[in-house]
């Protein structure tokens, strides 16, 4: 496969990768190019900004979740109909699951895609030191090709000129900059950036910012990427006949889903029907199973508690229920936030409460009993990122493979956990969920 592609990386989180990626995507789109965005690592939030800029739904690429053949297949499926691809990195270029960034890092994804890397550097308090920084990142891993640097939060044209001269001294191309400007800053909160639907860059800001980027030079770098192989993979191919209807919670409170995971369920015979725990008071007619993903139930706890019709519909539902993180909080007996304690659905014993420090990281887990997404002993990969806590109640759903920690709740029908599963890493989980939903067929 010959396809222009580029990886946008940085020395660390907070450098401005999302802003630079969004501006570049918007600039290419304005020039008539259809470019598919991707996000390295397990992230639901940054992709919303990339989607707004590119006009296409991003996919996630993670080298710890997937082996290289499966990651390349997710990439190949994602770029259908596109003229190129842009991958926004995660954290710093060499940050991953292990200390050297061998797994789950932006560097790993760039190596597997054989894609040139552009380093976004926060230069607001930097001048000549950018040369040493760039040289270190260029030379750290000879398997990567550092194609150049984009400077972010630059104070003036003179500042940009100094940065360009410093980079020239070490042979690293300067590919433009973004100025220091409030309209180019994306606000953050406890799980990262705000979602694109709440605050994103405006087209006018994109256009002005793109004027200081080497937009065409960056496209030429993307076009220089060599042909990419397509090894045999283990992901399902084709589409199975419809056999189940799965209702998926989709609104401002619940919106953390991987597009490639939803597509996998559809591929395996599921019809996905959205519903809103915030606005609706009934579940979709004929739903065979429920999936309540992550999101921000803590921001809408009062509204969720006030929607007694939906809470009662959840309690009456008799089919399989799968809930992740925010979904677990919603299915608990109560959720305590700084605003108070709010009654939730009560399908899971115990209450959740918000805390100041986050729990986050990859999760390799083993099922402790048979349930709607796994059989006892099955192993799965996912991640956790939450600011709430709740007591572990039996029967627990998962055991950490790399420790004794037990987590989640499973009563055979309801599976609720803080772990966000990545279904493409273990398609048998998605297949089992569809099969559990289809026991009575599509009603």
């Amino acid at each position: 496969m010959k396809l222009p592609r580029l990886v946008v990386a940085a020395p660390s989180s907070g450098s401005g990768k999302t802003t630079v990626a969004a501006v570049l995507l918007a600039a290419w789109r304005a020039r008539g190019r259809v470019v598919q965005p991707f996000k390295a690592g397990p992230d639901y939030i940054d992709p919303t900004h990339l989607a707004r800029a590119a006009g296409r739904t991003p996919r996630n690429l993670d080298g710890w979740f997937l082996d290289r053949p499966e990651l390349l297949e997710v990439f190949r499926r994602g770029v259908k109909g596109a003229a190129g691809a842009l991958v926004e990195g995660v954290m710093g270029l060499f940050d991953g699951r292990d200390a050297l960034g061998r797994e789950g890092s932006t560097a790993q994804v760039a190596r597997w895609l054989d894609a040139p890397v552009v380093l976004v550097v926060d230069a607001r308090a930097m001048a000549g030191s950018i040369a040493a920084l760039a040289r270190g990142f260029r030379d750290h891993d000879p398997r990567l090709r550092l194609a150049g640097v984009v400077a972010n939060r630059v104070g003036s044209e003179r500042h940009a000129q100094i940065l360009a001269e410093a980079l020239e001294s070490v042979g690293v191309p300067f590919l433009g900059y973004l100025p220091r400007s409030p309209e180019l800053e994306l606000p953050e909160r406890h799980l990262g950036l705000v979602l694109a639907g709440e605050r994103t860059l405006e087209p006018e800001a994109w256009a002005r910012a793109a004027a200081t980027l080497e937009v065409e030079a960056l496209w030429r770098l993307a076009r220089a990427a060599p042909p990419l192989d397509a090894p045999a993979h283990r992901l399902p191919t084709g589409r199975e006949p419809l056999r189940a209807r799965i209702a998926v919670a989709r609104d401002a409170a619940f919106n953390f889903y991987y597009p490639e995971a939803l597509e996998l369920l559809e591929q395996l015979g599921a019809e996905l029907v959205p519903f809103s725990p915030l606005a609706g008071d009934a579940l979709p007619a004929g739903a065979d199973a429920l999936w309540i993903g992550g999101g921000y139930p803590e921001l809408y706890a009062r509204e969720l508690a006030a929607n007694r019709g939906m809470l009662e519909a959840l309690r009456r539902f008799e089919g399989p229920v799968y809930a992740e993180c925010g979904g677990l909080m919603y299915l608990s007996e109560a959720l305590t936030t700084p605003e108070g304690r709010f009654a939730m659905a009560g399908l899971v014993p115990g209450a959740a409460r918000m805390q100041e420090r986050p729990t986050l990281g990859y999760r390799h887990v083993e099922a402790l009993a048979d349930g709607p997404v796994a059989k006892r002993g099955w192993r799965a990969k996912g991640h956790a990122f939450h600011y709430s806590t709740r007591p572990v109640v039996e029967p627990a759903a998962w055991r950490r493979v790399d420790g004794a920690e037990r987590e989640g709740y499973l009563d055979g029908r309801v599976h609720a956990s803080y772990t966000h599963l990545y279904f493409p890493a273990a398609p048998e989980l998605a297949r089992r969920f569809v099969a559990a939903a289809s026991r009575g067929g599509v009603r």
Side-chain angles (χ1 to χ4, degrees):
M1 178 173 57
K2 177 65 175 174
L3 186 84
R5 55 195 183 276
L6 195 68
V7 172
V8 175
S12 65
S13 296
S15 299
K17 296 187 301 293
T18 304
T19 303
V20 170
V23 169
L24 186 53
L25 285 166
W28 283 342
R29 185 183 181 186
R31 287 161 170 78
R33 297 182 180 119
V34 178
V35 179
Q36 172 63 37
F38 292 88
K39 173 65 181 179
D43 192 317
Y44 299 108
I45 300 172
D46 292 3
T48 65
H49 299 281
L50 304 183
R52 182 70 63 89
R56 289 175 66 97
T57 301
R59 304 294 193 275
N60 289 74
L61 300 172
D62 190 295
W64 185 72
F65 284 157
L66 298 172
D67 292 334
R68 183 174 183 270
E70 285 69 45
L71 184 141
L72 293 183
E73 178 61 12
V74 170
F75 180 81
R76 186 191 67 80
R77 295 180 184 184
V79 298
K80 286 183 178 179
L86 183 144
V87 181
E88 182 200 341
V90 57
M91 299 185 294
L93 177 57
F94 298 104
D95 299 328
R97 186 170 184 262
D98 60 286
L100 299 180
R102 290 168 296 196
E103 287 188 317
S105 68
T106 305
Q108 181 189 41
V109 172
R111 288 194 301 267
W112 284 3
L113 291 178
D114 202 0
V117 177
V118 171
L119 195 70
V120 176
V121 176
D122 182 352
R124 58 185 157 182
M126 185 181 298
S129 295
I130 197 171
L133 179 68
R135 179 164 53 186
F137 273 84
R138 179 192 63 192
D139 299 342
H140 183 72
D141 187 344
R143 296 171 295 177
L144 292 179
R145 181 164 72 91
L146 182 64
V149 168
V150 169
N152 189 32
R153 303 187 179 104
V154 173
S156 65
E157 291 186 10
R158 176 55 183 158
H159 185 195
Q161 183 180 353
I162 293 172
L163 297 170
E165 292 173 0
L167 289 168
E168 184 180 9
S169 71
V170 293
V172 176
F174 182 62
L175 297 168
Y177 69 95
L178 295 186
R180 190 183 310 167
S181 170
E183 67 179 2
L184 293 178
E185 296 294 332
L186 294 170
E188 295 190 18
R189 61 176 166 220
H190 55 284
L191 292 182
L193 298 176
V194 298
L195 296 168
E198 302 169 71
R199 167 74 162 86
T200 191
L201 304 179
E202 299 301 326
E204 295 80 7
W206 281 327
R208 286 192 294 270
T212 55
L213 287 181
E214 298 292 342
V215 175
E216 292 306 314
L218 286 158
W219 181 252
R220 288 193 294 271
L221 289 172
R223 290 186 61 190
L228 194 60
D229 61 331
H233 60 85
R234 299 190 300 272
L235 292 178
T237 58
R239 183 179 287 269
E240 299 183 10
L242 177 66
R243 58 194 179 116
R245 181 174 289 116
I246 298 176
V248 181
R250 301 296 295 265
D251 58 20
F254 304 100
N255 43 51
F256 290 174
Y257 301 94
Y258 296 113
E260 56 270 28
L262 296 172
E263 291 164 1
L264 179 58
L265 289 173
E266 292 176 326
Q267 190 179 1
L268 295 174
E271 176 190 3
L272 304 183
V273 185
F275 73 99
S276 172
L278 279 172
D281 58 3
L283 296 171
D288 299 297
L290 306 181
W291 183 4
I292 307 175
Y296 292 102
E298 66 274 18
L299 300 182
Y300 302 93
R302 187 180 303 276
E303 294 87 342
L304 291 170
N307 191 352
R308 294 188 176 89
M310 177 58 69
L311 294 175
E312 186 57 34
L314 290 171
R315 294 171 189 135
R316 291 196 307 264
F317 185 74
E318 297 180 351
V321 179
Y322 175 59
E324 294 179 331
C325 199
L328 166 65
M329 296 157 64
Y330 183 47
L331 295 187
S332 297
E333 294 175 1
L335 171 58
T336 299
T337 76
E339 294 186 350
R341 180 182 171 93
F342 302 94
M344 295 286 120
L347 273 67
V348 177
R353 60 178 176 83
M354 301 305 295
Q355 59 184 6
E356 293 185 359
R357 296 181 63 85
T359 299
L360 71 162
Y362 285 115
R363 295 290 184 266
H364 192 194
V365 293
E366 180 178 296
L368 293 172
D370 292 353
V373 298
K375 295 185 67 174
R376 178 183 176 89
W378 282 14
R379 292 186 172 185
K381 288 184 175 181
H383 78 282
F385 189 6
H386 53 93
Y387 275 81
S388 71
T389 184
R390 48 162 291 120
V392 177
V393 294
E394 298 296 339
W398 299 117
R399 176 189 69 82
R400 290 278 295 272
V401 173
D402 52 356
E405 178 184 343
R406 297 160 71 88
E407 192 264 314
Y409 174 80
L410 173 63
D411 66 5
R413 181 181 71 88
V414 176
H415 179 133
S417 164
Y418 274 122
T419 300
H420 294 268
L421 295 180
Y422 189 73
F423 282 147
E428 63 272 16
L429 303 175
R431 187 178 296 279
R432 181 174 176 84
F433 188 32
V434 176
S438 67
R439 285 178 296 185
V442 178
R443 295 192 294 269

